[in-house]
Amino acid sequence: MMLMTTNPYKAVFIDLDGTLLNKQSVVGERNAACIKKLVAKGVKVIFSTGRPIESVRHICGAIHQDDPVITLSGSMIHKTMFGSPMKAQTIPFETVRNILETCRDLGGVDNIMLDDEDGFYSLHENEEIEEFVGMFHKRPKVFTYDQVPSSAVLSLMIHSKANRRDIYTSLHEKFGADAHFTYFKEYPWIEISNFSSNKGVSMTHVCEAYGFQLDEVIAIGDGANDLEMIAAAGLGIAMGNADEEVKAVADRVAPHHTEDGFAVVLEEIFGL
């Protein structure tokens, strides 16, 4: 018999990197046990990450797989870990083409990565793309500036070691009304998605599907792509290792992710 929670929170939306995962990019024993205890109490556990679904399945599939999963920083929602897509928001084709043309003219771009529901594409096969090879478990298809490889691009990532801030500023000024931009202080990629796509919007969509109010859910994360989700949740939690701008919108701060901060704070809130 499932034990139902008396806690006012019915769901927890969980970022992966820098939140649930440790330095080795795996879920530690205490965090995994915490998730299983939440599920046993009837709490919905929704992973919400910038990673593609293939990577989430590899990392978290053995821990929990029955609730929706938000991937690509909100561009996709899957009904369950191994279920079909629930919602997908693509970047308009013309916007993608114009961004690529502008990147070519600006210069200073080391690589560009695009992905759709079938896989991912890169401008070059170089070292910057290797982390995505590990996430997708396949090699990318190579494209050129002159040819947009897909008409259904979910996410566009731009890598620049030398001019990332300048490239971000130029692109955001020109296309900020057409797409959603995320700039990470430590992560060397600029993330671009559909204008109406972010983790907060996708969290709201999942809540509507389950009949939850936003004040009945918790969101926990550490990065710039967690801002909207943490700000919108009834209880927004920033990790101790989170960016200061993330901590500024959070209701409370958990310990560092290397100290099992996720489990520490959720165990306290739910009395696990």
Side-chain angles (χ1 to χ4, degrees), residues 202-215:
S202 290
M203 179 178 72
T204 300
H205 184 81
V206 172
C207 286
E208 290 173 349
Y210 280 92
F212 299 155
Q213 300 298 314
L214 286 174
D215 61 7

Side-chain angles (χ1 to χ4, degrees), residues 119-272:
F120 78 116
Y121 310 81
S122 66
L123 190 62
H124 307 294
E125 274 262 30
N126 57 14
E127 61 181 358
E128 285 83 22
I129 212 69
E130 290 306 313
E131 68 171 297
F132 297 104
V133 173
M135 290 182 186
F136 283 92
H137 300 285
K138 65 176 74 172
R139 304 300 305 182
K141 299 176 183 177
V142 177
F143 71 96
T144 67
Y145 278 119
D146 300 321
Q147 183 180 17
V148 180
S150 172
S151 60
V153 173
L154 292 159
S155 176
L156 191 160
M157 305 281 285
I158 300 169
H159 188 285
S160 176
K161 293 177 181 176
N163 302 318
R164 185 161 53 99
R165 171 57 75 176
D166 291 339
I167 291 171
Y168 169 82
T169 299
S170 296
L171 292 176
H172 190 265
E173 287 179 353
K174 192 169 184 179
F175 303 106
D178 303 313
H180 182 271
F181 287 75
T182 303
Y183 181 88
F184 301 91
K185 291 181 180 178
E186 303 297 331
Y187 191 53
W189 293 85
I190 300 165
E191 184 178 74
I192 305 172
S193 57
N194 179 284
F195 180 76
S196 300
S197 174
N198 61 62
K199 289 186 181 183
V201 170
S202 290
M203 179 178 72
T204 300
H205 184 81
V206 172
C207 286
E208 290 173 349
Y210 280 92
F212 299 155
Q213 300 298 314
L214 286 174
D215 61 7
E216 295 178 313
V217 304
I218 295 172
I220 181 168
D222 74 303
N225 61 346
D226 298 314
L227 274 168
E228 293 90 351
M229 177 176 77
I230 289 174
L235 179 61
I237 303 173
M239 300 300 294
N241 49 283
D243 296 339
E244 290 304 315
E245 61 183 350
V246 178
K247 292 179 181 177
V249 303
D251 298 300
R252 64 180 295 178
V253 177
H256 198 283
H257 80 110
T258 59
E259 301 170 352
D260 293 325
F262 166 82
V264 171
V265 71
L266 270 296
E267 287 168 356
E268 176 191 334
I269 292 169
F270 286 92
L272 302 178

Side-chain angles (χ1 to χ4, degrees), residues 12-16 45-57 67-81 86-87 89 197-207 210 218-219 225-226 229:
V12 183
F13 290 77
I14 308 164
D15 172 54
L16 295 188
V45 172
I46 295 98
F47 300 119
S48 182
T49 177
R51 289 173 177 262
I53 189 64
E54 294 89 345
S55 180
V56 187
R57 288 168 178 164
D67 290 323
V69 179
I70 297 170
T71 61
L72 301 175
S73 295
S75 292
M76 283 204 74
I77 307 173
H78 290 259
K79 292 179 180 178
T80 61
M81 181 70 72
M86 182 176 176
K87 187 176 183 181
Q89 291 185 290
S197 174
N198 61 62
K199 289 186 181 183
V201 170
S202 290
M203 179 178 72
T204 300
H205 184 81
V206 172
C207 286
Y210 280 92
I218 295 172
N225 61 346
D226 298 314
M229 177 176 77

Side-chain angles (χ1 to χ4, degrees), residues 18-33:
T19 301
L20 184 66
L21 307 185
N22 58 24
K23 283 186 176 181
Q24 290 72 43
S25 295
V26 299
V27 184
E29 290 184 8
R30 185 173 179 179
N31 284 351

